[in-house]
Amino acid sequence: MKNSSLFLILQKMRIPFIVLIIAYTISIVGLVSISGVTSSGEPYHMSIFDAFYFVTYTATTIGFGETPYTFTYPQRIWVSMLIYLTVIGWFYSIGTIISLVQDKVLLKELSRAKFKKQIKNLKEDFFIILGFNSTTKKIIEKSMKKGFRVVVIEKEEERVNELLLEGNTPIIPVIQADIYDPIALEISGIKSKYCKGLVSLFEDDNLNLRIAITSKLTNPNVPLAIKSTTDNLTENLLDVGVEIVENPFSIISNHINLSLNSPSIYQIEKWVYNIDVLSNSTIKLPRGKYIVCGYGRMGKEIYRILEDNNIEATFIEIDEKQLQNLKTKGVVIADADDKDLLKSQGIQDAAVIIAGTDDDTTNLSLLSTAKKLNKNIITIARENELENYSIFQYSKIDYVYMLSKILIHKTVNALINPMSDKFLNLLKEQNEDFGANLIWDLLDNIGENPQIYELFINTNKAYAVTIALNENKTIVIGNFLKRRDNRNLKNNVMILLLQRKDKFYLLPDENMQIKLDDKILFAASTQAIDDIEYIAENIYELEYVSNNFQEV
């Protein structure tokens, strides 16, 4: 049966139904068979309807009295017996119903049926989030603020209940199931045209890979955001076809590289990720001696960056297992949170110390010790737990890299504004002067915190532009820079990127002609974004800014 919950109810209530049917049949047959007496003293037999009516209110203990005539003693004797028979049958059935209401299997099936109905009625763009924790909770909040709905698959009942108690509006559909179950993925809407992405950020790399494979087999076209912590898994995910591979340790090492070489580009990235505003300055990391505490997954990524930049570095690792088959030189096996050890490694002359262990208390402690030994040293910390943010916030550490926050910003940005990720990748190929000039232009034209806006040149997002292009009219990208109220004035807009099929144009010229299916990334004020949308959608607004407007 398609309705599993209904089938389960019928299966569980089969015996109680049979008991009631037998009890009613025996009772009715007896009443119909036994002779009675009318009020005038004439013999009569109850009809089946009268017998059924009497048994019905007697069995449920309502008790309307003897009907249609006063009973004879044989009838009363039979009624006395049928009361015990039918009432016991009802007690048994009610007990079964109470047990059924508490049955976890039925409750799960009813919840699943409700979930299926919610997904069927979901006619808005949504993301599927696998697992509910502090990280995915923030992703859910940010996604919903951006106008996207969210569907959650969570294995643990306790976390499902926690999500339900959040009281989100609109309601977040959630199902308790194995996160890699293809059936769960399918009923969660992974094949729906409204599904715009799936997120899997578990610590278990093998689990993330399994989810990626299952998802791509279920729907090859759905974008995936998958966490990876090793190069091997990253390669496997890319081979599977995963669009967004997120390695937080690689992201941190990339940030360090930008802070060494292009702090302005790093500042632009923080602005794109909504971490900071453009007007704030980023500290440029010096090129002196570095001490890195921890040579795990993060330490190995940092080692590559420092080696590429020819920076002298000492790595301290307490866990010997991390050093198995190690070919890297300059790694000391010891406890980094030791004054004498830090002194022996030249902490007094070091320029930067990085606390990259997987224990927040250790990271805070050793940086405090390092600061006492060298008050001028620049401190960088890895923060592992999202809940401990306030502790690091007031610890006066120069750089704090929180793994959860990195994943949150990266995921939301990559799913909601995919072009901005491509913009950042192209930007990182530029030099520091390019980044500094771009910041200056953004501040001068828009302000310290412009909004990111993506425009797709198609019927759904740019109806007027599409009509004009189909009529072979020339539309240049500069049309979107003009104000709707005065086409002779420029709006608070900058064009960051134009994508045409597989080609990308960074900061394209405003005279560049637009073609169908182009994708354009803007930095703009809120009011300017409204103007861009009107120009793209309204034929008369487009004609006006294109100088084709005929004034009456």
Side-chain angles (χ1 to χ4, degrees), residues 238-383:
L238 292 174
D239 290 341
V240 170
V242 175
E243 292 80 1
I244 307 163
V245 180
E246 303 177 14
N247 185 335
F249 307 113
S250 177
I251 295 172
I252 290 174
S253 64
N254 179 64
H255 288 173
I256 292 174
N257 184 53
L258 289 175
S259 297
L260 282 165
N261 301 295
S262 304
S264 295
I265 293 177
Y266 180 35
Q267 188 64 26
I268 293 173
E269 180 170 315
K270 289 197 291 183
W271 157 66
V272 170
Y273 286 169
N274 290 316
I275 300 174
D276 204 353
V277 295
L278 290 169
S279 57
N280 288 343
S281 59
T282 301
I283 301 174
K284 182 177 175 65
L285 288 177
R287 290 182 170 270
K289 181 177 180 179
Y290 280 58
I291 296 178
V292 183
C293 306
Y295 193 73
R297 293 169 296 182
M298 177 174 167
K300 292 179 175 66
E301 292 287 344
I302 293 175
Y303 173 82
R304 296 177 189 175
I305 294 299
L306 298 181
E307 186 179 41
D308 291 342
N309 285 276
N310 297 316
I311 291 177
E312 177 189 358
T314 298
F315 288 80
I316 304 174
E317 173 58 54
I318 192 172
D319 186 2
E320 294 187 26
K321 294 181 180 178
Q322 297 284 357
L323 308 180
Q324 291 179 354
N325 303 319
L326 180 66
K327 297 180 181 180
T328 306
K329 297 179 180 179
V331 180
V332 179
I333 302 175
D335 183 1
D337 192 12
D338 185 287
K339 286 185 179 180
D340 294 332
L341 175 67
L342 291 175
K343 287 179 181 179
S344 68
Q345 299 303 319
I347 187 69
Q348 294 90 340
D349 302 322
V352 178
I353 182 169
I354 301 174
T357 74
D358 57 3
D359 185 275
D360 288 342
T361 304
T362 300
N363 292 339
L364 287 167
S365 177
L366 67 88
L367 289 184
S368 177
T369 302
K371 204 70 176 177
K372 291 178 181 177
L373 297 174
N374 182 352
K375 64 178 182 179
N376 296 319
I377 197 169
I378 293 177
T379 52
I380 299 176
R382 164 185 170 182
E383 184 177 359

